[in-house]
Amino acid sequence: MNVFLTGATGVLGSHLIPHLKRKYSLTLLKHRREPIDTEGVKWVCADLCQADALSSLLKNMDCVIHLAAVTHTDDIDRYFECNVTGTHNLVRAAEIHKVKHLIFVSTRTVDPSGGAYAQSKLAAENIVKSSQLNWTIVRPAEVYGGSSKEMVSRLVCLIRNSNFIPLPDDGSAKIAPLFIEDMVRFIVRIILNNKAYKKIYTLTGPTEYALEEFVDRVAYCLGKQRKVIKINIPLFFLRFLLKVN
């Protein structure tokens, strides 16, 4: 069975590769031409935003797992150029070559009233759902365990190294940390499962926390429950700081 993976150089992609290459003939998409040495797989270089570049890459592919996305940028147009246009091009190429299954990794934050990233992922989901393919959409919560740059890992690091923890608004925003290997196992399980066709799965960790509660629990585990001072920051001011940064 031939599997095509976009976003292969990202955190989730790098964790998926060892599981996939043991079972399937694996082709990995990268955006840049730097050489990458991964034994037992085939690397191809293309830009998802250029439809012509994808025209032949999906020939004879049975399953496409689409992870590639722009997740953090101060250029709002980039979200829609890559996440929406890129998904559109990939879906059309998959339709032409009659790919049997498309797995699209979205986000739990999809919402028309959300930020540009959430809106772009929702638009990409709509492209997938309106296609002629057998599709599965996966919406993960906050993933941890793959990189120190992830939100959960950075928050834990901040609590470990600082006594002052900024919280957006009143700290009631919900998070449900999801271990990356649990997400990987789920994706691997649904590749050949036709019961997953035309389904949307929201993946979360076993427990959902208010952000303030999560900070308290981590502080307790680190022995800092009496030292941590939580500072509530209004959302409009936090957005301003992020934009300046």
Side-chain angles (χ1 to χ4, degrees):
M1 180 174 179
N2 298 316
V3 175
F4 187 89
L5 177 67
T6 75
T9 58
V11 174
L12 179 57
S14 64
H15 278 71
L16 260 174
I17 290 171
H19 296 265
L20 295 176
K21 74 177 187 178
R22 287 198 295 263
K23 297 183 176 182
Y24 308 115
S25 175
L26 187 59
T27 300
L28 309 175
L29 179 70
K30 61 179 179 177
H31 180 61
R32 297 179 179 85
R33 294 190 176 276
E34 291 88 342
I36 300 176
D37 184 18
T38 304
E39 186 178 355
V41 302
K42 176 184 177 181
W43 285 94
V44 294
C45 183
D47 186 345
L48 287 173
C49 296
Q50 297 178 359
D52 292 343
L54 298 171
S55 59
S56 62
L57 296 182
L58 299 190
K59 186 178 180 180
N60 299 322
M61 291 297 159
D62 299 295
C63 178
V64 171
I65 305 174
H66 183 29
L67 309 180
V70 171
T71 56
H72 299 91
T73 180
D74 56 1
D75 182 356
I76 291 178
D77 291 338
R78 284 279 293 159
Y79 286 122
F80 294 91
E81 176 187 356
C82 297
N83 299 349
V84 181
T85 303
T87 299
H88 175 271
N89 293 339
L90 187 69
V91 165
R92 296 298 167 258
E95 288 178 327
I96 290 171
H97 293 289
K98 302 187 185 306
V99 170
K100 296 175 184 176
H101 192 191
L102 171 69
I103 299 173
F104 175 56
V105 176
S106 184
T107 173
R108 190 173 74 140
T109 65
V110 289
D111 193 312
S113 62
Y117 171 67
Q119 293 171 10
S120 70
K121 295 297 276 188
L122 182 60
E125 281 191 10
N126 290 333
I127 291 171
V128 171
K129 289 188 288 186
S130 63
S131 73
Q132 301 172 15
L133 301 167
N134 293 318
W135 52 264
T136 304
I137 293 173
V138 181
R139 294 173 173 174
E142 301 76 20
V143 177
Y144 72 94
S147 168
S148 60
K149 296 181 179 180
E150 296 157 346
M151 185 277 281
V152 173
S153 299
R154 294 179 70 173
L155 181 56
V156 171
C157 183
L158 179 63
I159 297 169
R160 178 182 289 115
N161 297 321
S162 175
N163 292 335
F164 300 95
I165 309 300
L167 294 176
D169 212 12
D170 60 356
S172 63
K174 303 292 185 180
I175 64 171
L178 172 66
F179 185 45
I180 192 168
E181 288 298 327
D182 290 334
M183 183 175 177
V184 165
R185 281 191 288 269
F186 180 82
I187 292 174
V188 171
R189 284 176 59 188
I190 65 174
I191 290 175
L192 293 175
N193 189 350
N194 58 14
K195 293 182 180 179
Y197 293 172
K198 308 294 176 71
K199 300 278 184 65
I200 299 176
Y201 296 97
T202 298
L203 299 187
T204 69
T207 306
E208 185 175 65
Y209 305 93
L211 193 55
E212 183 174 18
E213 178 190 6
F214 182 76
V215 169
D216 289 339
R217 285 179 176 249
V218 173
Y220 177 81
C221 292
L222 295 175
K224 295 187 63 175
Q225 64 269 32
R226 296 184 180 180
K227 297 179 181 179
V228 165
I229 299 172
K230 300 184 289 291
I231 303 172
N232 297 105
I233 300 178
L235 281 176
F236 74 88
F237 186 63
L238 185 61
R239 292 193 185 100
F240 171 76
L241 290 178
L242 291 171
K243 193 169 185 179
V244 170
N245 186 55

